[in-house]
Amino acid sequence: MPNKEMLLIPGPTPVVDEIYEALAGETRAHTDPRFVASFRNSLDMTKKMFNTDGEVFIFAGSGTLAMEMAIVNTVAPGEKLLVVSHGYFGDRFIALAQAFGIEVEAVQAHWGTHIDPALVEAKLNEKPFKAVTVTHVDTSTGVIADLEKLVPIVKKSGALFILDGVCATAAVEEDMSKEYGNSNYKIDVVLTGSQKAIGVPPGLGIVAFGPQALAARDKMEKVPAYYCDIKNWLPIMQNPGKYFATPPVNMLYAYEKGMEILLAEGLENRYKRNFLLGKAVRSALAVYGMKALADEETAAPTLSCILYPEGVDDITFRKLLADKGMIVAGALGSLAGKAFRIGHMGNVTGEMFVKAITLVGETLKEMGFEADIDGAVAQFKKVYGE
Ligand SMILES: *Cc1c(COP(=O)(O)O)cnc(C)c1O
């Protein structure tokens, strides 16, 4: 077991032994039929996960490059993009789109809360937008977007619906064939990365384009990108024996194993496990007087942003936890120092979180605060169902 620590940050997430083993496989030619078959299997499993009859693209890069691929191939310079943001990663689309000369407008929620769908609707009624981005789970706040409300509002306006799933894919449903109240109201693009709820090391960007998004790319004469132009990748994704740019062979072995683990667990089971983990972690930490930034209706199954009780010093708390082998992340923006972020997604177990809840309690005690460790662990088990 190579992992000596519990990496409970909002990604990368803990990597299990079988995935490390796959990663360490013999590096083969990207044209070797055995590698080609493995890549094809990964593409098929990814299509299954998104339930899409469009195309999926898997390439070397991080989630941010996947964001870029999604935008550059759907919105041309000078066209309008609406960014629906409930945090740091939502806002990232603003700068990204501006870098390509896209006209960007944004509706931003107060951190920790949902965007008001009426605001989005009002904005879309003002003028036509080519596309709208929504961050499924914003990693800065632990808030999950309400797709049931947002997809119909966006699709009714005629815009493409682009979903940033980097902190949600494989833990929360992202079904691109699902009809949100009308046969035409579907998610058009989902983009994600390998290192969060999928549970594979960082290094792969993944983007799924549905039929309407592919049609939008077809209508664009050229796009201001080369590596990121899906037209360069389309022949490879349809026949992975072809060459455009060398695929990260070993990362794709790891990804194939990660997807096999995921589909063997079953998407529904995985969604349920993540949902219960999130609820159980938050309710156990509440026993220590640690409250989540988001309220339970909008809190994400994948990670939680937890506010410190009065007097708990962020740096000391995280340092003491790290000394015990448990890594959590600091908070971003104006929440820095006031909260920490704990990931509970990917290939993690209830057992790990019993340990995590115990270590948090021990750390609080070490810092001179009271902590009912037995009570918190019991609360975790009650909610998680053990
Ligand atoms: C992590 C994250 C990103 C950025 O991904 P990188 O792999 O760090 O480039 C984008 N969006 C969301 C929602 C994320 O959680």
Side-chain angles (χ1 to χ4, degrees):
M1 169 107 180
N3 291 342
K4 294 187 180 63
E5 296 176 345
M6 289 203 294
L7 187 59
L8 303 182
I9 62 172
T13 58
V15 175
V16 296
D17 295 1
E18 298 121 282
I19 293 178
Y20 283 129
E21 276 160 27
L23 188 63
E26 183 173 353
T27 301
R28 293 194 168 124
H30 53 286
T31 49
D32 185 306
R34 293 164 293 182
F35 171 71
V36 173
S38 154
F39 196 170
R40 201 184 292 278
N41 187 27
S42 290
L43 290 163
D44 289 346
M45 289 189 288
T46 308
K47 278 189 183 163
K48 199 177 271 180
M49 174 172 70
F50 291 127
N51 193 22
T52 181
D53 45 6
E55 277 298 335
V56 297
F57 301 84
I58 308 175
F59 47 92
S62 80
T64 306
L65 190 66
M67 292 168 77
E68 193 159 310
M69 190 179 270
I71 297 299
V72 168
N73 289 282
T74 50
V75 189
E79 291 186 326
K80 290 186 183 62
L81 173 73
L82 179 63
V83 171
V84 175
S85 173
H86 49 250
Y88 179 89
F89 286 100
D91 289 351
R92 176 165 283 192
F93 278 113
I94 300 171
L96 192 159
Q98 281 168 345
F100 290 98
I102 291 165
E103 278 187 41
V104 195
E105 293 190 37
V107 280
Q108 287 154 302
H110 185 68
W111 277 32
T113 66
H114 254 177
I115 201 86
D116 177 0
L119 283 179
V120 179
E121 194 160 27
K123 201 81 199 159
L124 290 167
N125 284 337
E126 269 173 32
K127 62 181 88 135
F129 287 87
K130 181 77 175 295
V132 177
T133 61
V134 171
T135 309
H136 202 171
V137 171
D138 205 296
T139 320
S140 57
T141 60
V143 169
I144 184 164
D146 187 347
L147 298 187
E148 298 291 336
K149 291 215 175 83
L150 291 173
V151 176
I153 289 172
V154 169
K155 292 306 295 176
K156 197 176 62 186
S157 80
L160 293 167
F161 192 99
I162 299 175
L163 187 65
D164 175 349
V166 181
C167 205
T169 304
V172 191
E173 181 187 78
E174 289 174 337
D175 181 341
M176 296 176 76
S177 293
K178 179 169 168 177
E179 297 173 358
Y180 286 85
N182 177 304
S183 62
N184 211 17
Y185 294 176
K186 294 179 189 170
I187 300 165
D188 295 300
V189 178
V190 183
L191 63 103
T192 194
S194 53
Q195 78 274 26
K196 297 194 183 179
I198 298 176
V200 168
L204 294 178
I206 299 132
V207 185
F209 276 72
Q212 282 189 32
L214 289 169
R217 172 64 191 89
D218 265 341
K219 285 208 197 92
M220 296 163 85
E221 215 170 282
K222 59 184 170 66
V223 301
Y226 181 66
Y227 186 83
C228 251
D229 183 350
I230 59 167
K231 284 226 160 153
N232 286 329
W233 287 109
L234 209 51
I236 287 78
M237 300 303 149
Q238 286 164 352
N239 175 5
K242 289 192 175 162
Y243 170 75
F244 167 57
T246 310
V249 170
N250 289 64
M251 274 306 298
L252 281 159
Y253 296 155
Y255 182 76
E256 183 187 25
K257 181 53 74 181
M259 292 303 290
E260 280 170 3
I261 290 171
L262 194 155
L263 292 179
E265 179 177 8
L267 287 170
E268 289 307 322
N269 293 337
R270 199 167 172 103
Y271 299 157
K272 187 167 172 225
R273 178 169 61 78
N274 276 274
F275 176 79
L276 288 175
L277 264 181
K279 277 207 165 323
V281 167
R282 286 185 296 271
S283 77
L285 292 176
V287 172
Y288 298 145
M290 295 178 134
K291 277 181 54 182
L293 173 70
D295 57 32
E296 251 338 279
E297 290 85 78
T298 57
T302 46
L303 92 142
S304 299
C305 183
I306 305 288
L307 299 164
Y308 287 118
E310 196 61 42
V312 177
D313 178 64
D314 173 45
I315 302 290
T316 312
F317 175 78
R318 286 192 289 126
K319 164 85 172 58
L320 289 174
L321 266 187
D323 289 346
K324 297 176 178 60
M326 172 174 163
I327 319 295
V328 295
L332 301 174
S334 64
L335 291 169
K338 297 180 192 142
F340 69 97
R341 294 176 303 146
I342 180 165
H344 32 73
M345 62 183 135
N347 296 319
V348 289
T349 61
E351 212 174 286
M352 286 172 74
F353 283 91
V354 166
K355 189 169 169 202
I357 298 298
T358 306
L359 293 178
V360 168
E362 286 172 1
T363 301
L364 287 172
K365 281 188 163 171
E366 229 174 297
M367 292 173 75
F369 297 89
E370 278 181 23
D372 173 10
I373 296 177
D374 291 343
V377 167
Q379 181 63 23
F380 175 84
K381 288 183 173 167
K382 189 178 116 197
V383 177
Y384 190 57
E386 269 186 359

